[in-house]
Amino acid sequence: QVQFVESGGGLVQPGGSLRLSCAASGSIFSIYATGWYRQAPGKQRELVASFTRRGNGNYADSVKGRFIISRDDAKNTVYLQMNSLKPEDTAVYYCNGAWGTPLGDWGQGTQVTVSS
């Protein structure tokens, strides 16, 4: 079984940056299959960043050009570099499988709040 632990969230002003980390452990099929999701109050959870089979980033239109997904295979860690942050990016961010059905047991996520 795979377990994901998210960290790196916090309070940041509009236009600022944060880097989120996702540490994976357990029986990992491929770190490439791990992506980032977010859920804002009153909204559905959505996939915002994932990897293609070639290892390139794939992004939701709302974050394209501002967020960058990367990984450290040796550390089984996936990162999300978040630049030019906007108030609408405020959400709880989670990592989980992105190539198929994600794990049913979601982690606690990490809160990102963008406010002046």
Side-chain angles (χ1 to χ4, degrees):
Q1 180 77 314
V2 180
Q3 184 178 43
F4 300 103
V5 179
E6 304 92 344
S7 63
L11 175 64
V12 65
Q13 294 189 130
S17 298
L18 285 173
R19 189 179 75 157
L20 307 184
S21 296
C22 170
S25 62
S27 301
I28 303 171
F29 178 76
S30 175
I31 195 70
Y32 289 84
T34 304
W36 285 96
Y37 300 77
R38 69 183 182 188
Q39 186 169 31
K43 300 182 69 176
Q44 293 278 75
R45 183 181 284 124
E46 63 174 341
L47 179 65
V48 297
S50 61
F51 295 105
T52 70
R53 289 294 260 115
R54 290 176 175 268
N56 299 315
N58 189 39
Y59 306 96
D61 288 342
S62 58
V63 307
K64 192 171 297 182
R66 301 187 296 117
F67 291 9
I68 303 170
I69 188 170
S70 62
R71 66 195 180 277
D72 185 330
D73 295 337
K75 296 181 178 180
N76 288 329
T77 300
V78 178
Y79 305 98
L80 186 67
Q81 180 65 46
M82 309 165 67
N83 301 315
S84 302
L85 283 162
K86 304 175 179 180
E88 52 262 46
D89 295 317
T90 296
V92 178
Y93 285 72
Y94 305 86
C95 55
N96 210 330
W99 288 357
T101 304
L103 294 175
D105 187 14
W106 293 80
Q108 294 297 309
T110 185
Q111 176 72 49
V112 172
T113 302
V114 185
S115 180
S116 59

